[in-house]
Amino acid sequence: MMPSLFRERTAPSMGLRRVAIPVVVTLSTVVFLSACSAESTSSPAAQSSPSTTSTGTAYPLTIDNCGYEVTFEQAPRRVMTAKSSTTELLLALGLGDSIVATTYLDGPIPDWLQEQAQGNEAIASPLAEQLPSAEAVLEVEPEVVYVGWESMLTAEGIADRDFFEDLGVHTIVAPSACKAPGYQPDPLTWEALFDEITTVGEIFDASEQAAQVVADQRAQLEAVTADDRGLEALWFSSGSDVPFVGGGIGSAQLIMDTVGVSNVGQDIDDTWGSMSWEAIVESNPDVIILVDASWSTADSKIEMLESQPAAAQLPAVKNKQYLVIDFPPTEAGVRTVSAAADLSRQLSSLELS
């Protein structure tokens, strides 16, 4: 069974002492009672606007996030987000007004979150294209720095977590991005992703909004029909000399399992990893999933595949058996379910030679 991504710090395997605090959140105990009555909608969070009735998170609230303990005395009101996945989750929870700075956005905000993002200068004008300096972050006076990659909160990234905590700024890492043994999802599951939404809602005193987002996403996920043709697929993320592909434990594997294709990179024991052209040709995938990013477009990948001598001989390349997915939802978040639904529709309409 997959370990809880946010957990009480009493697990004997981690050598942790019990912390005397009033409230601790553990995701494994969360029950999504509202999911059973959800109706499928075209928008993953079509009914997730802020509720006027708070569920009343009891503070102080302590979480163990990727092995780092964080205590919140109240709902955060000023947040800097790093990566689209964290920004979009707060928007889906109706918390756009709390976002005072963004960085490392991977693409445009999707249409169904545009209303929440409208007028937010922090989203319209990110603090930096990639990683800002710690000084630049502190200038916006955040109460919380919420990041999509754990490496962002290191000395090689923006700054380490102790640096911010010592200055009274809390940090949150998206649990799907945890890397430490016992914290890294292995593999990532939809339940783990829904748990993350629920706990972020708890942190920000937005549990009702989080429950509605989860219910909407469960309904949309249930509507996905898996392909039954026994197809194998390559998830081509980036790279040229050495392709970077979807591995066996992350969002790529989760999406491919959901739409009913086998992942030729499933033996890579990570979310993403390198795979040689020789190995790709040997695997002979029926379908190639192309990640469309501004810095590595789907069109550029097609050009690369068709010009690479070995890959050009693959039937999937010769017959242009491609599926396309935008980059932002490939990093686990509130757009991952809709990405799976979209790929499923593409796959069902793909006639294989």
Side-chain angles (χ1 to χ4, degrees):
M1 186 173 75
M2 200 194 85
S4 171
L5 300 184
F6 291 94
R7 66 185 68 189
E8 182 179 1
R9 293 192 57 133
T10 58
S13 64
M14 303 302 292
L16 301 171
R17 59 184 178 83
R18 181 175 294 278
V19 181
I21 52 175
V23 180
V24 176
V25 174
T26 52
L27 292 184
S28 60
T29 63
V30 176
V31 180
F32 304 104
L33 298 178
S34 61
C36 298
S37 61
E39 295 182 0
S40 180
T41 65
S42 60
S43 164
Q47 303 176 31
S48 60
S49 57
S51 170
T52 56
T53 303
S54 171
T55 56
T57 297
Y59 298 98
L61 173 72
T62 293
I63 63 170
D64 181 355
N65 174 221
C66 298
Y68 194 91
E69 186 179 285
V70 189
T71 298
F72 299 89
E73 300 294 336
Q74 61 183 12
R77 294 162 298 181
R78 296 180 60 82
V79 187
M80 191 205 86
T81 59
K83 298 294 287 182
S84 289
S85 58
T86 57
T87 304
E88 291 167 359
L89 175 51
L90 292 187
L91 291 175
L93 294 177
L95 298 168
D97 289 346
S98 70
I99 301 174
V100 297
T102 62
T103 187
Y104 226 121
L105 297 183
D106 301 308
I109 298 296
D111 290 344
W112 63 277
L113 290 175
Q114 281 293 338
E115 184 176 350
Q116 288 288 350
Q118 190 172 5
N120 189 313
E121 186 61 26
I123 296 174
S125 301
L127 198 59
E129 184 176 341
Q130 294 189 353
L131 292 182
S133 66
E135 291 76 15
V137 172
L138 294 173
E139 283 181 4
V140 301
E141 300 181 350
E143 296 174 17
V144 171
V145 174
Y146 179 23
V147 305
W149 289 348
E150 191 171 17
S151 60
M152 291 176 164
L153 291 174
T154 63
E156 293 74 29
I158 302 171
D160 64 35
R161 301 185 77 167
D162 285 341
F163 170 85
F164 283 114
E165 195 69 33
D166 289 346
L167 294 173
V169 179
H170 296 319
T171 56
I172 306 171
V173 174
S176 52
C178 294
K179 288 295 188 181
Y183 290 94
Q184 182 177 36
D186 188 11
L188 179 68
T189 65
W190 292 117
E191 292 305 316
L193 184 52
F194 296 154
D195 282 355
E196 179 175 339
I197 295 169
T198 300
T199 298
V200 172
E202 184 82 7
I203 291 168
F204 286 86
D205 197 15
S207 290
E208 289 186 0
Q209 296 96 305
Q212 187 61 65
V213 171
V214 169
D216 292 341
Q217 297 218 336
R218 284 185 184 280
Q220 190 177 24
L221 186 60
E222 288 172 3
V224 175
T225 301
D227 193 271
D228 61 1
R229 289 175 284 182
L231 304 177
E232 295 189 335
L234 168 71
W235 184 290
F236 187 10
S237 182
S238 62
S240 54
D241 293 340
V242 180
F244 199 57
V245 307
I249 67 171
S251 59
Q253 183 68 53
L254 177 60
I255 291 172
M256 285 192 276
D257 287 342
T258 302
V259 303
V261 296
S262 296
N263 177 14
V264 299
Q266 64 186 351
D267 291 336
I268 297 172
D269 189 25
D270 206 340
T271 51
W272 317 97
S274 299
M275 190 173 186
S276 69
W277 285 115
E278 291 77 12
I280 289 172
V281 170
E282 185 177 352
S283 70
N284 191 22
D286 301 294
V287 176
I288 299 176
I289 300 170
L290 305 170
V291 177
D292 193 23
S294 60
W295 58 91
S296 180
T297 66
D299 286 343
S300 70
K301 290 184 176 73
I302 291 173
E303 183 179 348
M304 184 188 310
L305 287 165
E306 295 179 352
S307 62
Q308 210 281 344
Q313 301 308 309
L314 288 170
V317 175
K318 288 182 176 180
N319 298 309
K320 300 185 182 298
Q321 291 167 187
Y322 303 127
L323 307 178
V324 178
I325 183 172
D326 289 337
F327 179 83
T330 68
E331 299 196 331
V334 292
R335 292 173 64 182
T336 307
V337 169
S338 59
D342 181 55
L343 277 184
S344 178
R345 287 189 290 269
Q346 292 183 53
L347 188 61
S348 66
S349 63
L350 185 67
E351 295 184 5
L352 302 179
S353 300

